[in-house]
Amino acid sequence: MHKVLIIGSAGSGKTVLATRLGALIGLPVIHLDALYWKPGWIEMPKDVWTQIVAEAVQRESWIMDGNYGGTLDERLRACDTVIFLAFPRLLCLYRVFKRAVTYWGKTRPDLNSGCPEKLPDREFLYWIWSYPKQRMPKIIDALQAYEGQKEVITLKSPFAVRKFLTAVEQKMV
């Protein structure tokens, strides 16, 4: 594992897993949200965003967490390992609300300053709710295209994540 891509619904724990895995195996972590959002929750222009991702994937090694479907193919081509968090939508919704309460009015560690946490809006909640039917099948198709070329790890629960991290930690000893 030298270039690890972590994908999944909002609230699935991508950032937490990336941070923990990075600490375990000593790889730098790239939080795509921190690169994408400018202060005030302003989106990065598409052409600039594409260039930022192109430069990020060229780094020697990384753990990268985030969705951003428009750059998924490029990130999949560049990585050697994909961790797909395929968690239930209710758990993801719960975690998004918990995150909003925990960081209310403050900027999360995985974001740029000037992006204070707020309650999720209807559009974001719908995105999470519809993820299993609208986005997950496309991701599964994309991952199948790399079968045999990339290590693909699908984790479906917090328990599976803990078990995975324990296995990685045991390999490091």
Side-chain angles (χ1 to χ4, degrees):
M1 284 193 282
H2 296 289
K3 293 186 176 185
V4 182
L5 180 59
I6 301 175
I7 56 176
S9 175
S12 62
K14 297 178 300 294
T15 298
V16 172
L17 176 57
T19 302
R20 289 183 180 162
L21 186 60
L24 269 178
I25 63 177
L27 291 180
V29 177
I30 301 169
H31 300 296
L32 291 179
D33 283 346
L35 299 177
Y36 185 78
W37 295 105
K38 296 194 274 182
W41 291 102
I42 305 296
E43 295 180 51
M44 188 65 61
K46 187 175 180 175
D47 59 330
V48 176
W49 174 241
T50 303
Q51 184 61 36
I52 288 170
V53 172
E55 291 171 8
V57 298
Q58 294 303 314
R59 297 178 192 176
E60 185 177 330
S61 61
W62 41 258
I63 296 173
M64 186 178 292
D65 75 279
N67 288 303
Y68 303 98
T71 62
L72 181 61
D73 288 337
E74 182 172 7
R75 290 179 286 131
L76 284 172
R77 282 192 303 273
C79 74
D80 57 48
T81 305
V82 181
I83 301 173
F84 178 38
L85 300 179
F87 283 19
R89 64 174 69 141
L90 289 177
L91 177 59
C92 294
L93 286 167
Y94 166 76
R95 286 178 162 188
V96 165
F97 278 108
K98 181 180 174 187
R99 179 174 71 195
V101 170
T102 301
Y103 290 101
W104 180 259
K106 297 178 276 187
T107 301
R108 297 188 328 249
D110 58 306
L111 287 168
N112 287 318
S113 61
C115 294
E117 192 65 29
K118 54 190 177 186
L119 285 176
D121 60 21
R122 180 180 289 185
E123 183 180 321
F124 188 54
L125 294 174
Y126 179 75
W127 188 91
I128 296 167
W129 185 259
S130 64
Y131 187 89
K133 290 198 185 237
Q134 290 187 4
R135 285 160 191 83
M136 196 178 288
K138 294 173 188 172
I139 290 171
I140 291 168
D141 287 346
L143 294 176
Q144 286 175 343
Y146 289 98
E147 196 171 317
Q149 302 170 43
K150 314 280 180 187
E151 181 177 8
V152 177
I153 302 162
T154 301
L155 303 172
K156 296 182 178 184
S157 70
F159 175 77
V161 171
R162 287 191 301 273
K163 188 175 172 184
F164 168 74
L165 287 171
T166 299
V168 170
E169 187 173 22
Q170 289 173 349
K171 285 182 186 177
M172 300 303 292
V173 176

